[in-house]
Amino acid sequence: MINRVIVATFLLYFTLPVITWSTDQTVPSGREVAQLVHDRDLGQDSQSQVLMELISAGGQRRLRELTVLAKADGPIRKTIMRFTSPADINGTGFLSIEDGQGGTEQFLFLPALNRTRRIATTQKGRSFVNTDFTYEDMERRPVDDFEYLIAGVANLSGVETWILESRPKPETQSQYGLVRLWIAQDLSVPLKIDYFDDRDQHIKQYRVLQLENIQGIWTETKVIMEDLLSGHSTTLETRDIRYNLGLSDNLFTQQNLENW
Amino acid sequence: MNRIPTLVTRHPFISLILSLLFVAPFLAHLPHVQTVDNVDYFTLEDDPDVAFYDSIKATFGEDEFFVVAFTHPDLFTPPFLTLIVALTDQLGSIPEVREVQSLANVDFIHGEQDYFEVRPFLERIPEDPVELETLRRQALETPLYVGNLISEDGRTTAIAVFPQLSDTGDGSFRKRILEHTTVILEEHRDLVDEFHLAGWTVTNFSLSRYMKADVAVFIPVTYLFITLTIWLVFRNLRLTLLALANISVCTGATMGMFSVLGITLNNVTTIVPPLVMALALGDTVHIFSNLKTNVLRRSPDPARALESVLAKVIMPCFLTSLTTAVGFFSLSVSHVPPIKEFAYVAAAGMVFKFIFSFLLLPPLLLLCKPESIYFGQDRERRFGPALRRLVNAVQGYPRSISMIVALLVVGSVWAGSTIQVETNLLEYFKYSSPIRQSLDFVETRLSGVGTVDVSLKSQDKEAFLSPENLGVIENIQHFAETLPHVDKTMSFVDFLKDMNKAFHDEDAMFHVIPYSRELVAQYLLLYDSDDIDDFVTMEYDHARILIRISEHGSSGQAVFIDALRKFIDMMDRQGLEIRVTGRAVQDVNIIDDLVWGQIHSLAIAAAVISLIMFLALRSVRIGALSLIPNIFPLVINFGIMGALGIPLNTSTALISVVALGIAVDDTIHFLTEYNRRRADRMSIPDALREATLEKGAALCATSMILVIGFGVLLFSNFVPTISFGGLSAVVMVTALVGDLVVLPAIMLAFHRGRAEDGMGVRV
């Protein structure tokens, strides 16, 4: 589920029937596409095991495993992640709860200290647990915070995509000056994302390596984020994802975060 | 060899054309001679320490940086904080700048009751005085900043700039970055009167810039002085012009040789042009001083006259060129590329000067009207009386003179024993130079810009998550910080301590290594890898400690490195493989190599030159005697260095070998003349007298020219080059004294001693 969270720069927890623009030959506006992506079906809740692999420029690999639970609470989205391997970090947990106004509260629990700390919002542009994803990459941002433009269409490995360009509005805080997304027209799933810094330098690239239909929900089961400057990359592989389990709200609390 | 004068004087046009054809390819290369914008070439070849240092840089990133520092009592006010942010941004946008670190973008790890954050320290500039004061306090309470980015008193701040080093080894990026930096700083002069730049980038560039200024001064000044000298000695316009033509061709060919061999002008090889000019003039002077009207009168035509002049001097000139070339070439045993390069081009210059003096100069002389270049005994009149007085003094008091010489030698040996082996990069620059002033500014307020690294490696992945191994790092840091001139140490441990403190409500008690491996691993999940990448690998199996020192002297650095190594050898290393490296270690190694190279070169040069002397003078006894006037100036040189506290460094290390190669020239000319007289069955005192009177004038003139050639180096911007020039000039004088005074005095003292013993052995 974490990959979903990550893709979700533009995701909203919402379901709409998939509209296939390509068939009615109407080019949608950028904002409409963004809204569609934002509104993809991600289920009422989900539980998954994720393999996180960090790959250095030199090809050295480090593997971590974590359990991810997610739940929609009206317009509010909550996620709890807990590392299970390697042993040193077993039990370390992150809880994130949207505030409903475009922000997200994040809490961190360190079992070795038995302490929870709120992560300050200033962390946004920083790497999340040393991966190539930043806190911002994992966060959902309101559609209206950005300006959109359809820059064209492209065929990506046989899938027709819209090329959507998104730039933050002047008042929006973002580490990126430009994000260019290739969005599967039929599925509203971003298959590739190029990230540019505020000097328009291409700094990162995200790609979906494997997409599966699970319980009727299109799920990116393997994704990669590459840091083009350092050559470092991170892959996330989702295993055993199950949707709509009826997870309890109590699982998404600080108390549960510390209950390990 | 003896056929050359005949061939050259019989076929002057062929000789002229041949020499022009020979020089043409070298002159064609002249426009391609390059000066370098850096001193990266100062590194040992095939050295394991260099390889290790390179591997450390490959792992943890290049360690080259420079800082832009400025002081203001109201640093923590909006205008100055805004300036720091602006400068960080502007400097960061210079092409070829990899990274900029300042208070504006440095990570600030902060925790309180329920929250934790890592954010840029100056993310927001407050207006409120209370908040500004909080900011100031936070900066001064963060050990990672103090000494690096902010001074202890909070009045001086530094912005560290890390250049992107090119893979091609092209060092000129420093020039471009520094030019950009100057333009940027100029925009902010209204707020800050003076910015101080210091660090290897600046030092490196300044070395190359001053070096270019040196070249620009050396050659014209040498020309000027040489012209004046020739004019004073010969008072003849044609000879002066011919001498200038000859040395120009020699110097031109030698400079062309630079680009033929792919050698650049660096701060060792810049010495070559003035040196070759002075030495080339030596042969010329010996030829000119034999252009006497009585020779012309005795000969059937000018060609024959010149042939006999050349025949007289060609052998000693060949020998002197050979011995000087040997002296220079012996430096090629060095492992330091610029010294090697010096050896090659300077030796090539000696070959050129011999060839051109006997192939190019004679045809040119034949083009002149003989009466305008041959002269009578008037030169004799100028030097004669002085030389006669000198001979009388030497012949009158040989024992007293020998005693004085012995005392001088003993004194010099004593003083020479105090010579420090030291290269102090800071003292390369004059105290008044801006670079030295800036360095002083930065080092007194912040930290030294010299660096030593300690590499710690483990066989096990994630070894540096364990508090025991982290303790090893901390122990080394603690020890290093007790040593003099250590301003700052930094490691992965400092970041962990900072994290630990932040997670314990900024309680200073918790500025310690986290208690368990798990806690370290969990902290690391939170911390952005960028900054710690410079200090630990992603696998956590290789860590590095950075030590900033303000010691610039290689001997002081050597003491520090030794102390550090001893401590590491004795400590509990927890099975880690620990090695001291860094730029300072490389510098110390180079100095070691220089000293050994110096001894090595000197031994080779002395052996080969002695052998040449024995062969040339065809007598073991005379050969042995020839060593006396040559060892004498070297001993005196070391005595002067010891007495004046001039260290043996990259430049002064060259003196002995260069001086030996040149000083021996006078001896060869003198003893060749002496041998000729002895062969005519002249007594020893008479032979010495005649040799002095005959050769004295030419020896004085060549020595004077060499004094000028080396004296020009006094105009250098570099203290070592100045020392080199001054000392070498003194050596030229003492070598002359050695030949005209010491050698005859000792010979006479022994001669008399034996005569009185009734042995009357002929020397």
Side-chain angles (χ1 to χ4, degrees):
Chain A
M1 197 60 207
I2 186 168
N3 43 5
R4 187 62 48 83
V5 178
I6 287 150
V7 172
T9 314
F10 302 90
L11 287 198
L12 228 218
Y13 205 79
F14 192 106
T15 51
L16 256 192
V18 173
I19 298 168
T20 52
W21 296 100
S22 47
T23 52
D24 32 3
Q25 298 299 315
T26 324
V27 177
S29 74
R31 196 189 178 289
E32 283 167 327
V33 174
Q35 191 72 52
L36 277 173
V37 173
H38 199 254
D39 298 350
R40 333 168 17 196
D41 178 17
L42 292 175
Q44 189 58 36
D45 59 29
S46 65
Q47 175 169 359
S48 59
Q49 300 297 319
V50 173
L51 280 181
M52 173 189 282
E53 195 165 30
L54 310 182
I55 307 158
S56 74
Q60 295 163 314
R61 289 159 184 269
R62 272 195 293 176
L63 198 63
R64 294 171 182 161
E65 287 178 55
L66 56 156
T67 306
V68 182
L69 305 178
K71 183 178 165 75
D73 183 2
I76 305 285
R77 180 176 175 73
K78 302 174 180 178
T79 313
I80 188 163
M81 292 174 230
R82 184 152 345 244
F83 287 90
T84 53
S85 159
D88 303 342
I89 56 171
N90 186 18
T92 307
F94 282 88
L95 169 66
S96 52
I97 301 172
E98 289 181 349
D99 60 9
Q101 275 118 51
T104 308
E105 279 226 288
Q106 284 169 320
F107 300 90
L108 159 79
F109 171 69
L110 297 187
L113 267 189
N114 197 21
R115 255 176 230 215
T116 299
R117 285 285 181 272
R118 194 159 47 82
I119 305 276
T121 49
T122 46
Q123 287 273 111
K124 301 280 187 227
R126 304 194 72 89
S127 153
F128 174 68
V129 296
N130 295 334
T131 63
D132 296 285
F133 296 95
T134 61
Y135 285 85
E136 180 177 342
D137 294 338
M138 302 172 45
E139 212 179 52
R140 230 168 27 150
R141 305 291 295 266
V143 174
D144 287 335
D145 282 2
F146 298 82
E147 308 267 12
Y148 304 93
L149 175 78
I150 293 289
V153 291
N155 187 299
L156 223 61
S157 315
V159 181
E160 289 302 323
T161 61
W162 299 115
I163 301 174
L164 176 69
E165 290 189 351
S166 147
R167 290 179 190 271
K169 287 184 178 168
E171 65 279 12
T172 305
Q173 291 274 338
S174 173
Q175 61 180 306
Y176 305 116
L178 166 69
V179 178
R180 186 177 292 137
L181 307 93
W182 281 256
I183 293 152
Q185 293 178 358
D186 297 342
L187 312 173
S188 300
V189 176
L191 297 181
K192 183 169 110 171
I193 307 177
D194 284 347
Y195 296 92
F196 299 81
D197 66 11
D198 48 16
R199 288 180 188 146
D200 272 2
Q201 187 186 6
H202 190 187
I203 50 173
K204 292 205 301 189
Q205 186 178 67
Y206 163 92
R207 276 175 296 134
V208 174
L209 302 177
Q210 192 174 303
L211 189 69
E212 291 177 65
N213 188 323
I214 294 168
Q215 295 174 252
I217 296 170
W218 284 100
T219 310
E220 303 93 327
T221 47
K222 190 163 186 192
V223 301
I224 185 167
M225 180 72 98
E226 289 178 83
D227 183 323
L228 303 175
L229 302 183
S230 69
H232 192 275
S233 63
T234 306
T235 63
L236 298 170
E237 195 176 332
T238 303
R239 293 181 175 174
D240 310 324
I241 185 160
R242 285 170 294 155
Y243 289 103
N244 303 325
L245 300 166
L247 297 177
S248 158
D249 272 344
N250 295 337
L251 291 171
F252 301 90
T253 58
Q254 269 198 62
Q255 201 180 12
N256 184 53
L257 184 66
E258 291 171 10
N259 182 16
W260 176 78
Chain B
M1 185 66 62
N2 293 328
R3 290 175 54 84
I4 295 176
T6 316
L7 288 173
V8 170
T9 49
R10 299 279 157 81
H11 311 285
F13 283 102
I14 295 176
S15 164
L16 184 65
I17 288 165
L18 269 180
S19 54
L20 291 177
L21 282 177
F22 178 73
V23 72
F26 293 106
L27 291 182
H29 270 92
L30 203 49
H32 307 295
V33 177
Q34 292 191 334
T35 53
V36 282
D37 286 319
N38 64 84
V39 290
D40 292 341
Y41 49 78
F42 252 108
T43 174
L44 291 177
E45 292 178 326
D46 307 322
D47 180 71
D49 267 343
V50 172
F52 185 74
Y53 178 47
D54 285 343
S55 78
I56 292 298
K57 288 193 285 187
T59 306
F60 297 108
E62 280 293 339
D63 59 352
E64 178 170 338
F65 69 98
F66 69 97
V67 299
V68 176
F70 65 91
T71 292
H72 200 277
D74 304 320
L75 208 53
F76 284 86
T77 54
F80 288 98
L81 296 178
T82 310
L83 174 65
I84 296 173
V85 173
L87 281 176
T88 305
D89 195 49
Q90 286 178 295
L91 293 170
S93 62
I94 295 176
E96 298 177 289
V97 165
R98 172 169 60 93
E99 198 190 340
V100 176
Q101 266 176 21
S102 75
L103 287 179
N105 65 0
V106 69
D107 279 342
F108 181 60
I109 303 173
H110 187 62
E112 261 171 44
Q113 276 300 311
D114 69 334
Y115 84 99
F116 170 83
E117 67 178 340
V118 181
R119 61 164 168 88
F121 177 73
L122 257 189
E123 194 168 48
R124 192 179 60 83
I125 296 170
E127 294 284 339
D128 175 41
V130 179
E131 278 186 78
L132 286 167
E133 181 50 34
T134 306
L135 206 59
R136 196 181 102 91
R137 192 174 42 75
Q138 284 174 337
L140 296 182
E141 283 173 1
T142 307
L144 282 169
Y145 303 171
V146 178
N148 276 336
L149 302 173
I150 186 90
S151 62
E152 269 173 42
D153 63 2
R155 287 159 165 250
T156 304
T157 189
I159 298 167
V161 182
F162 297 81
Q164 180 74 54
L165 269 57
S166 74
D167 299 332
T168 59
D170 167 24
S172 52
F173 64 89
R174 298 191 181 91
K175 179 170 186 259
R176 295 190 289 273
I177 292 176
L178 290 170
E179 281 169 357
H180 267 112
T181 304
T182 312
V183 172
I184 291 168
L185 297 181
E186 208 50 51
E187 289 173 28
H188 301 285
R189 291 280 177 196
D190 52 328
L191 219 52
V192 176
D193 293 336
E194 204 170 359
F195 291 99
H196 302 267
L197 274 63
W200 180 238
T201 309
V202 180
T203 308
N204 194 319
F205 174 64
S206 302
L207 283 169
S208 67
R209 203 181 44 164
Y210 285 132
M211 191 182 78
K212 283 186 179 172
D214 275 6
V215 181
V217 169
F218 286 172
I219 295 177
V221 173
T222 311
Y223 262 113
L224 184 70
F225 279 99
I226 281 178
T227 313
L228 279 174
T229 315
I230 299 255
W231 174 251
L232 283 175
V233 174
F234 296 104
R235 304 279 167 107
N236 185 309
L237 181 65
R238 281 190 180 77
L239 288 183
T240 307
L241 291 176
L242 287 182
L244 285 178
N246 189 37
I247 61 168
S248 300
V249 170
C250 276
T251 313
T254 310
M255 297 287 283
M257 198 67 184
F258 271 82
S259 90
V260 171
L261 295 179
I263 291 171
T264 49
L265 271 174
N266 55 47
N267 66 347
V268 178
T269 54
T270 44
I271 299 173
V272 173
L275 202 57
V276 168
M277 287 168 90
L279 285 166
L281 202 56
D283 286 357
T284 313
V285 167
H286 281 288
I287 294 173
F288 285 1
S289 57
N290 280 295
L291 296 173
K292 292 177 182 168
T293 40
N294 54 357
V295 179
L296 188 62
R297 270 199 303 275
R298 278 204 302 268
S299 311
D301 58 57
R304 294 288 171 87
L306 187 60
E307 183 187 338
S308 71
V309 167
L310 295 182
K312 196 173 173 193
V313 294
I314 191 163
M315 204 57 205
C317 282
F318 172 74
L319 287 175
T320 55
S321 300
L322 183 65
T323 51
T324 310
V326 166
F328 289 153
F329 199 73
S330 71
L331 288 168
S332 65
V333 299
S334 173
H335 297 110
V336 185
I339 293 189
K340 243 185 176 159
E341 293 170 356
F342 174 88
Y344 297 146
V345 280
M350 294 307 98
V351 176
F352 287 135
K353 75 144 185 166
F354 178 73
I355 291 175
F356 294 125
S357 296
F358 289 90
L359 210 61
L360 176 67
L361 197 57
L364 294 178
L365 283 170
L366 286 177
L367 288 176
C368 300
K369 274 188 235 144
E371 55 273 25
S372 67
I373 53 170
Y374 284 76
F375 48 84
Q377 299 300 315
D378 55 328
R379 194 172 49 80
E380 189 80 346
R381 277 207 302 279
R382 282 209 303 281
F383 284 89
L387 284 173
R388 232 171 284 263
R389 275 201 297 278
L390 180 75
V391 171
N392 289 340
V394 170
Q395 305 236 334
Y397 312 98
R399 289 195 172 171
S400 310
I401 292 173
S402 301
M403 283 304 292
I404 294 170
V405 168
L407 283 176
L408 273 176
V409 166
V410 170
S412 293
V413 168
W414 175 76
S417 66
T418 65
I419 292 178
Q420 293 262 319
V421 177
E422 166 98 322
T423 285
N424 187 331
L425 212 52
L426 184 63
E427 288 177 2
Y428 265 41
F429 301 102
K430 294 174 187 167
Y431 189 73
S432 57
S433 62
I435 173 168
R436 197 154 156 192
Q437 297 285 321
S438 279
L439 200 53
D440 220 36
F441 177 92
V442 170
E443 297 204 323
T444 51
R445 289 166 178 81
L446 297 150
S447 298
V449 293
T451 55
V452 171
D453 296 276
V454 182
S455 149
L456 302 97
K457 242 184 210 170
S458 169
Q459 297 300 319
D460 306 320
K461 282 187 180 174
E462 310 203 331
F464 289 102
L465 298 185
S466 94
E468 293 74 30
N469 289 339
L470 295 172
V472 173
I473 297 181
E474 192 181 41
N475 283 342
I476 295 174
Q477 283 183 273
H478 281 167
F479 174 75
E481 281 165 7
T482 63
L483 296 174
H485 303 295
V486 170
D487 293 331
K488 184 94 193 155
T489 68
M490 264 177 98
S491 78
F492 171 49
V493 169
D494 296 309
F495 290 90
L496 290 174
K497 286 179 179 176
D498 215 16
M499 293 273 281
N500 204 33
K501 181 172 148 225
F503 262 85
H504 289 90
D505 309 331
E506 299 294 337
D507 182 344
M509 288 271 290
F510 288 91
H511 193 256
V512 291
I513 294 173
Y515 74 93
S516 75
R517 181 187 174 91
E518 286 74 19
L519 188 52
V520 172
Q522 290 166 23
Y523 282 154
L524 287 172
L525 265 186
L526 281 174
Y527 194 65
D528 195 354
S529 56
D530 279 4
D531 287 357
I532 64 168
D533 273 358
D534 294 346
F535 298 97
V536 70
T537 55
M538 184 183 151
E539 309 271 306
Y540 302 112
D541 57 351
H542 190 179
R544 161 205 183 217
I545 303 170
L546 170 69
I547 303 172
R548 280 179 65 176
I549 55 173
S550 50
E551 169 66 65
H552 301 279
S554 58
S555 57
Q557 289 175 345
V559 168
F560 167 70
I561 292 163
D562 281 349
L564 198 59
R565 283 185 174 145
K566 279 210 184 74
F567 175 78
I568 291 167
D569 283 345
M570 291 191 330
M571 77 185 297
D572 177 6
R573 294 186 292 279
Q574 302 278 340
L576 299 171
E577 188 192 314
I578 306 178
R579 187 160 166 179
V580 180
T581 181
R583 190 172 293 283
V585 173
Q586 314 309 316
D587 290 348
V588 168
N589 286 348
I590 287 184
I591 301 313
D592 258 15
D593 192 84
L594 278 174
V595 177
W596 284 108
Q598 151 100 338
I599 293 167
H600 203 161
S601 300
L602 197 56
I604 293 174
V608 176
I609 289 173
S610 305
L611 187 69
I612 293 171
M613 298 290 267
F614 285 127
L615 292 176
L617 301 169
R618 298 199 180 91
S619 152
V620 173
R621 175 156 289 171
I622 303 277
L625 278 175
S626 74
L627 296 180
I628 295 170
N630 294 305
I631 292 169
F632 174 72
L634 298 192
V635 173
I636 299 291
N637 170 55
F638 283 120
I640 293 172
M641 283 173 70
L644 296 183
I646 298 172
L648 194 60
N649 60 31
T650 51
S651 291
T652 52
L654 299 175
I655 296 175
S656 307
V657 178
V658 170
L660 181 62
I662 298 173
V664 86
D665 296 0
D666 289 356
T667 313
I668 290 174
H669 284 291
F670 183 79
L671 286 179
T672 310
E673 190 62 32
Y674 168 81
N675 262 359
R676 190 175 292 154
R677 303 286 162 166
R678 289 288 286 158
D680 294 344
R681 304 199 159 265
M682 205 177 263
S683 71
I684 290 175
D686 288 347
L688 287 172
R689 172 186 294 272
E690 288 307 310
T692 308
L693 293 177
E694 174 68 26
K695 282 287 167 185
L699 294 187
C700 286
T702 50
S703 298
M704 192 153 71
I705 289 160
L706 284 165
V707 167
I708 289 164
F710 284 113
V712 166
L713 302 179
L714 294 174
F715 291 95
S716 173
N717 289 293
F718 294 111
V719 177
T721 308
I722 295 172
S723 316
F724 175 85
L727 287 168
S728 299
V730 172
V731 168
M732 294 304 113
V733 175
T734 48
L736 183 68
V737 172
D739 286 313
L740 297 186
V741 178
V742 178
L743 180 63
I746 290 175
M747 284 170 78
L748 288 170
F750 275 93
H751 172 70
R752 270 190 209 174
R754 289 183 177 178
E756 282 164 19
D757 291 345
M759 291 171 72
V761 178
R762 281 189 56 174
V763 180

